[in-house]
Amino acid sequence: MTGRNPAKDKVAIAGVGLSPYARDRGATTELAMALEAAVAAIRDAGLAAADIDGVVGGGLLTGGIDPATVVSALGLPAVTWWARTAPPIMNHLVAAVNAVWTGACEVALVYHSVYRVGGFSRSANADPFRRRATFGLPDGRAAAGDGHTDAEPWSMHGSAGYAAWAGRYLAEFGASREDFGRIAINDRSNAAANPNAVLREPLTMAGYLAGRMVREPLCLYDMDVPVDGADAFIVTTAERARDMPAAPVLVHAATMGMTAPPQEHLAAGLEATGQPLAARDLRAKSDLWLDDIDLFFPYDGFTVVALRCFESYGFCGPGEAGAFLADNWDEDQNRITIKGRVPVNTHGGSLSEGGSQGAGHLREAVTQLRGQAGRRQVPGAQVALLTPGGFFFNAQGLVLRAG
Amino acid sequence: MDSDDAEVLERFPAVRLDHLNKRYYQGLLRHELLAGRCRACGTWHTPLRPICPSCWSAEVSPVPVSGRGTVHLLTFLHQGPPAPGVDYPGGFPLAAIELAEQSGLRVEATVVDCPRDRLRIGLEVELTWIDRDGAPWPAFRPAGPRV
């Protein structure tokens, strides 16, 4: 761990692009969505193909689109740096920030796509082309990851691991499912004002508690909603971003955290995962912290991840997040408002906008810090804290500030 | 390829076997649950590794464990891919068992022969075996009296 942060405020996000999320976009391809987002982001930044000299991205379920495919499909004439990265989004963003900061490239295109594949949902499995898009072995088991060659119902890799630690959280702290429910309800209330969110109907606590149990103690509403869609970002120097059309958003501090052993079933404890490590490292790198933020985006691929973020990042002590959310609950808006001021996952998060491994959180943070979030806009928002990724092998943290 | 390799490849056709992990699966065929053990520092590890994760010694080898442990993590799966013998509507238990040999030494397995109201974190369990696609796999059941 290092507190060094020489790139602080030196690199900016200067463009964003979206390929809209939907529960099922039907007969499209992952590449089509990634390119739609990429072209939108490049145009948002006022750039053209010849300006892009860095390309980085990837997706989860298919293994994602290779940078060479993006370079080919967009006809990028001169690229000097590229990398293929696995989600969550900070793998992409940290790589891009470092490449820009070191001079490996001047303008990086960052792309992230989600494409529902066979085995991931019933509707996706009904599409023979999506069955062939699955990454890994034919039965859906991951191709990568030692110790992860077995799948549910025999392995805790992925969703079952979060369910198992959610159960241990409940047992260890005497917490209740209502504590998880507040994360889900907050997201749903916020999603109502986000046209990109796929779930916008209000959710009550009674409705949450009646949700179909999937991986006990996690129910349908505790797990992110599968979508098709893509996001893209333009990353360049803060200096250059100031000459571009959109208001720059500065990368103030960024980090990632992983501890041994990172496998779900072997992790020493919630206090010893990558999430608290990312929190400590981000704290050491950032001049701005909890009292300075206007927006909080705890990652919520599973409710327990977001709930634990409030503890790992120091809003409250271990096991106190449920009470903290109750104390900071806005009854009128049916959502979390920290100290009556800071909203949480204003776009509806992974649980209601759609599961995109933090790409949606990053897009919403940039949109808010530009002042372009419409009905969702937090007036005068200047600083956002994001915690993409989960507990184990993909915890990440980010502080963004308006430039 | 020797005859032992041929057998493990045949009996575990869906496993991504390699020249290290095959020894774990060969152990399953003998009804032995193996974990890696370092002869230099004595530390256990799972899954099998080429060097000791604690001291980096290459003097590691698969050693049978006692099969006694406690339920450390537990979830009940109510849906999932179809699998023989797996009852999703009833909530199929998937646990991480902390083995008696060492704190943090865990394996993933289901728990059998245990009423739902007894099955919880902290339950003492012991190794048993179930059949998956014609091969033996480890599972755990409530521990009987120590003999």
Side-chain angles (χ1 to χ4, degrees):
Chain A
M1 197 181 109
T2 172
R4 286 196 312 116
N5 187 12
K8 184 191 301 172
D9 298 333
K10 302 292 190 188
V11 178
I13 298 172
V16 292
L18 169 69
S19 181
Y21 293 7
R23 298 296 296 273
D24 184 354
R25 287 185 53 175
T28 188
T29 67
E30 185 167 18
L31 179 61
M33 298 189 299
L35 296 180
E36 181 183 16
V39 168
I42 295 168
R43 288 181 172 155
D44 180 58
L47 300 175
D51 298 310
I52 306 300
D53 60 356
V55 180
V56 55
L60 185 67
L61 301 171
T62 62
I65 306 295
D66 192 83
T69 305
V70 172
V71 170
S72 168
L74 292 180
L76 304 181
V79 172
T80 61
W81 174 81
W82 61 92
R84 181 171 179 159
T85 47
I89 194 65
M90 291 296 290
N91 287 335
H92 307 35
L93 185 67
V94 169
V97 167
N98 292 347
V100 167
W101 171 245
T102 59
C105 67
E106 178 75 8
V107 178
L109 167 65
V110 177
Y111 62 92
H112 173 277
S113 44
V114 275
Y115 189 64
R116 296 168 314 108
V117 296
F120 196 62
S121 76
R122 282 191 189 86
S123 61
N125 203 41
D127 179 347
F129 295 97
R130 289 177 184 264
R131 287 206 299 274
R132 289 197 189 183
T134 307
F135 181 55
L137 301 176
D139 64 359
R141 284 174 294 126
D146 172 79
H148 291 151
T149 58
D150 217 343
E152 287 187 37
W154 308 108
S155 167
M156 287 191 174
H157 180 47
S159 302
Y162 284 94
W165 279 101
R168 193 161 176 97
Y169 181 91
L170 295 179
E172 183 174 349
F173 296 115
S176 70
R177 287 188 59 223
E178 281 85 346
D179 300 336
F180 298 152
R182 287 188 189 273
I183 298 290
I185 293 166
N186 171 77
D187 276 6
R188 193 63 68 83
S189 296
N190 283 332
N194 177 10
N196 193 49
V198 300
L199 297 176
R200 295 197 288 259
E201 320 76 37
L203 180 65
T204 64
M205 186 60 80
Y208 165 82
L209 291 171
R212 178 165 57 84
M213 195 53 73
V214 179
R215 299 176 181 93
E216 196 173 335
L218 299 184
C219 75
L220 192 62
Y221 301 117
D222 289 300
M223 298 183 286
D224 60 4
V225 54
V227 294
D228 293 330
D231 291 281
F233 306 88
I234 299 299
V235 175
T236 189
T237 63
E239 183 180 5
R240 179 150 179 187
R242 291 191 181 97
D243 296 330
M244 290 184 177
V249 172
L250 304 180
V251 177
H252 179 71
T255 190
M256 300 163 65
M258 178 151 55
T259 60
Q263 294 103 315
E264 291 90 337
H265 70 289
L266 296 177
L270 288 178
E271 71 290 345
T273 68
Q275 191 186 68
L277 172 61
R280 288 197 304 276
D281 192 53
L282 193 68
R283 179 71 193 93
K285 284 181 163 70
S286 181
D287 298 337
L288 305 164
W289 204 238
L290 306 187
D291 289 338
D292 306 306
I293 64 172
D294 305 301
L295 298 150
F296 183 40
F297 293 94
Y299 184 69
D300 53 355
F302 302 92
T303 50
V304 64
V305 176
L307 190 71
R308 182 68 181 179
C309 271
F310 285 90
E311 302 167 9
S312 294
Y313 280 78
F315 288 97
C316 58
E320 296 174 356
F324 181 85
L325 297 191
D327 290 344
N328 288 272
W329 194 259
D330 182 328
E331 295 289 348
D332 293 337
Q333 301 187 77
N334 205 29
R335 68 171 188 168
I336 308 159
T337 310
I338 301 169
K339 295 184 177 176
R341 191 179 71 82
V342 178
V344 173
N345 287 337
T346 47
H347 60 313
S350 304
L351 297 168
S352 287
E353 187 192 54
S356 58
Q357 295 86 51
H361 299 74
L362 179 59
R363 171 188 10 91
E364 174 72 0
V366 170
T367 304
Q368 287 275 359
L369 294 175
R370 284 175 166 193
Q372 297 175 334
R375 287 171 57 204
R376 306 187 307 282
Q377 183 64 45
V378 174
Q382 294 293 304
V383 179
L385 170 62
L386 298 82
T387 71
F391 290 137
F392 305 107
F393 43 82
N394 56 17
Q396 309 175 333
L398 176 67
V399 176
L400 295 175
R401 68 188 307 177
Chain B
M1 188 173 77
D2 60 27
S3 61
D4 287 350
D5 284 352
E7 185 186 16
V8 76
L9 288 163
E10 182 190 339
R11 299 290 296 280
F12 294 100
V15 174
R16 184 174 284 265
L17 293 171
D18 60 36
H19 285 294
L20 177 64
N21 71 20
K22 68 183 182 186
R23 300 184 66 184
Y24 173 84
Y25 292 94
Q26 286 165 339
L28 299 190
L29 292 175
R30 300 190 301 270
H31 284 204
E32 284 182 350
L33 179 60
L34 303 176
R37 186 152 202 209
C38 177
R39 289 191 292 278
C41 74
T43 306
W44 296 82
H45 61 269
T46 59
L48 299 185
R49 296 296 189 202
I51 63 173
C52 173
S54 294
C55 76
W56 299 354
S57 165
E59 297 297 309
V60 290
S61 53
V63 175
V65 298
S66 68
R68 294 192 74 99
T70 56
V71 174
H72 188 82
L73 298 171
L74 179 64
T75 178
F76 294 90
L77 304 177
H78 292 253
Q79 69 178 54
V86 173
D87 171 40
Y88 288 114
F92 179 73
L94 174 63
I97 306 299
E98 181 137 321
L99 300 173
E101 277 73 11
Q102 180 179 293
S103 176
L105 185 72
R106 296 178 207 146
V107 293
E108 303 160 281
T110 191
V111 179
V112 298
D113 301 334
C114 184
R116 171 67 195 255
D117 58 4
R118 274 191 72 192
L119 185 46
R120 63 172 64 87
I121 290 170
L123 178 70
E124 293 191 18
V125 293
E126 64 186 13
L127 178 64
T128 184
W129 296 89
I130 58 173
D131 179 274
R132 274 175 66 188
D133 302 321
W137 287 78
F140 288 80
R141 65 187 177 203
R146 197 174 288 268
V147 290

